[in-house]
Amino acid sequence: MVLLPFLAVLLLTTSFAFSSPTQEHLDAPQKPQSKYFDVQAHRGGRGNTMESTLPSFAWGLIDGATTLELDNGITQDGVVVVWHDESILPEKCSDTEPISPDDPMFPYVGKYIANLTLAQLKTLDCGSKRQINYPMQLTYPGAQISTLQEVFDFVECADPSHQMLWNIESKIDARYPNRTLGVREFVQKQHDIFISSPYLKSITYQSFDWRAIVAMKSLNPEITTSALIDDETSAASPGSASPWLAGLRLDDFPGSSPDIRIAQAARAIDADILSPSTSFYITPPDPAAKGSTQFTTKEMVDEAHRLGMKVKPWTVNRLDIVDQIIEWEVDGIITDYPNVVRRWAKQQGLRVAPKFPKQRIFACLEKHM
């Protein structure tokens, strides 16, 4: 486990204070609509290919995704890498060999990314193990964890005119601050990569830990931000704030329902996008309740739109749910199957992003792997 300096922990617990929500927080002009309906390839499209690897992003491009969605961790030696989990899970990666015969950290599987160097991570095979819930995944034995810069470089090779959009998440767990770098250092290291990339203006920055959104907006107000939320991260004990929401208490907002208050809270941190889960995770929906049994509701979408935010739910892998939420005029969909959702969007007459030449993508993949 990474042990943060006491002063850093103290700063994180004291630096993200908010005034009470006001109408000024809640009202904002409507933002312009995207050129294409936003089909986001979740982790590159993990339903189709090994997640979060260069092959997964290659197939996201081939499948015509508008946006590549991915997650960042930071290694012990301070490198921003593309991986979803805080630790290396045995169901996703396998050890090959240590970087030195007497490396005390070997085996690396099971260790936190924050406790491993980039060189140690690069020994892992993260392309051979097909996930049990995704039986159609293409495997790419030997595929490695990439740095964020390596992913940018690969996609730029396939997309020289820089048309691709990005949705990049910080993997910070608000409940366990010692498992990753602190919020400020995490955000700063990501931002350093963003500003050196030709894709800077195409990046949306998202997080469940809303402190990261506040920190990124403070660092660079021009970066589009997205507030991730589900029933777990929105939950709080009576009279307290969820640790995920940067000190905000949903009960302090004037909305008549939790769904409305979630949208208002996201607006209070100046998020440009609200990105709720479509499903419940820890709270089973009440079958006797009126309306949708999904976490995302029409009421939530309507309030977010009224406040000038877009709404892009995750992770939507069923077309019946796509049918439902599109009636509520959501602005995009994050999915493990971008090829399926893109095909559905074309059927509905929605404008979809053009696909990139497959041969060029494969040539770039060969070069960068």
Side-chain angles (χ1 to χ4, degrees):
M1 301 260 301
V2 176
L3 299 178
L4 299 179
F6 173 76
L7 180 58
V9 176
L10 180 62
L11 285 172
L12 291 182
T13 59
T14 59
S15 299
F16 298 102
F18 295 88
S19 58
S20 298
T22 65
Q23 201 61 35
E24 181 181 358
H25 283 129
L26 302 180
D27 289 333
Q30 194 76 292
K31 292 182 179 290
Q33 296 298 310
S34 300
K35 183 178 179 181
Y36 303 113
F37 182 72
D38 193 7
V39 178
Q40 297 200 14
H42 184 236
R43 308 185 202 175
R46 66 171 169 170
N48 300 322
T49 319
M50 309 305 290
E51 68 175 65
S52 303
T53 60
L54 289 187
S56 66
F57 299 117
W59 279 98
L61 296 175
I62 291 169
D63 289 335
T66 318
T67 300
L68 295 178
E69 192 272 353
L70 55 88
D71 311 89
N72 283 168
I74 298 178
T75 65
Q76 185 188 58
D77 46 346
V79 182
V80 181
V81 295
V82 176
W83 196 246
H84 173 266
D85 309 302
E86 296 167 5
S87 61
I88 304 301
L89 301 179
E91 58 266 31
K92 294 183 181 180
C93 298
S94 300
D95 278 297
T96 57
E97 59 184 8
I99 59 172
S100 61
D102 57 349
D103 185 358
M105 290 297 289
F106 190 81
Y108 307 132
V109 170
K111 305 295 194 308
Y112 287 103
I113 285 177
N115 289 343
L116 296 171
T117 65
L118 179 63
Q120 290 168 328
L121 288 178
K122 285 292 188 179
T123 68
L124 296 167
D125 175 1
C126 297
S128 295
K129 293 187 173 183
R130 182 177 290 116
Q131 300 300 288
I132 189 170
N133 292 329
Y134 298 97
M136 300 302 292
Q137 281 183 331
L138 293 175
T139 60
Y140 279 81
Q144 298 177 334
I145 293 175
S146 298
T147 68
L148 178 58
Q149 187 61 59
E150 287 170 341
V151 174
F152 278 158
D153 291 344
F154 159 67
V155 173
E156 187 177 9
C157 173
D159 171 32
S161 58
H162 307 119
Q163 299 299 306
M164 204 66 213
L165 303 179
W166 302 81
N167 190 9
I168 299 176
E169 181 179 345
S170 62
K171 295 309 292 188
I172 304 173
D173 192 321
R175 301 163 301 178
Y176 304 106
N178 290 335
R179 290 184 178 178
T180 65
L181 291 187
V183 172
R184 291 188 185 281
E185 188 174 2
F186 210 111
V187 170
Q188 183 66 62
K189 286 186 177 296
Q190 289 179 292
H191 184 260
D192 289 346
I193 304 295
F194 294 175
I195 61 174
S196 65
S197 167
Y199 287 109
L200 173 62
K201 294 184 178 179
S202 304
I203 293 171
T204 293
Y205 182 71
Q206 64 176 353
S207 187
F208 284 103
D209 190 334
W210 288 10
R211 295 174 303 164
I213 295 173
V214 175
M216 184 61 80
K217 278 293 190 186
S218 176
L219 192 61
N220 189 338
E222 299 303 313
I223 288 184
T224 300
T225 56
S226 179
L228 289 163
I229 195 165
D230 59 19
D231 58 318
E232 181 178 20
T233 59
S234 62
S237 302
S240 65
S242 164
W244 297 93
L245 305 186
L248 295 179
R249 287 178 3 112
L250 293 180
D251 289 345
D252 288 340
F253 289 86
S256 58
S257 73
D259 301 334
I260 290 177
R261 291 193 287 272
I262 284 171
Q264 292 174 348
R267 176 61 200 138
I269 61 165
D270 291 327
D272 302 293
I273 299 166
L274 176 63
S275 190
S277 168
T278 53
S279 304
F280 288 91
Y281 283 90
I282 62 170
T283 310
D286 180 359
K290 295 180 180 179
S292 172
T293 58
Q294 302 298 316
F295 181 77
T296 301
T297 66
K298 183 178 188 301
E299 195 174 33
M300 186 187 297
V301 174
D302 288 346
E303 180 67 1
H305 283 164
R306 185 187 75 80
L307 298 174
M309 292 183 293
K310 295 181 180 181
V311 181
K312 300 183 181 183
W314 57 275
T315 300
V316 190
N317 292 336
R318 292 176 45 166
L319 289 182
D320 56 339
I321 296 178
V322 173
D323 287 336
Q324 181 183 57
I325 63 177
I326 206 68
E327 289 182 3
W328 304 339
E329 299 182 347
V330 298
D331 303 283
I333 290 173
I334 302 172
T335 178
D336 291 323
Y337 300 94
N339 54 330
V340 175
V341 174
R342 184 183 187 275
R343 185 178 65 212
W344 170 92
K346 287 190 69 175
Q347 184 192 47
Q348 305 303 309
L350 299 171
R351 289 195 69 191
V352 296
K355 296 183 178 182
F356 295 96
K358 186 181 295 186
Q359 291 307 114
R360 185 168 73 201
I361 293 170
F362 284 142
C364 290
L365 183 61
E366 182 177 0
K367 173 183 176 182
H368 287 266
M369 282 189 70

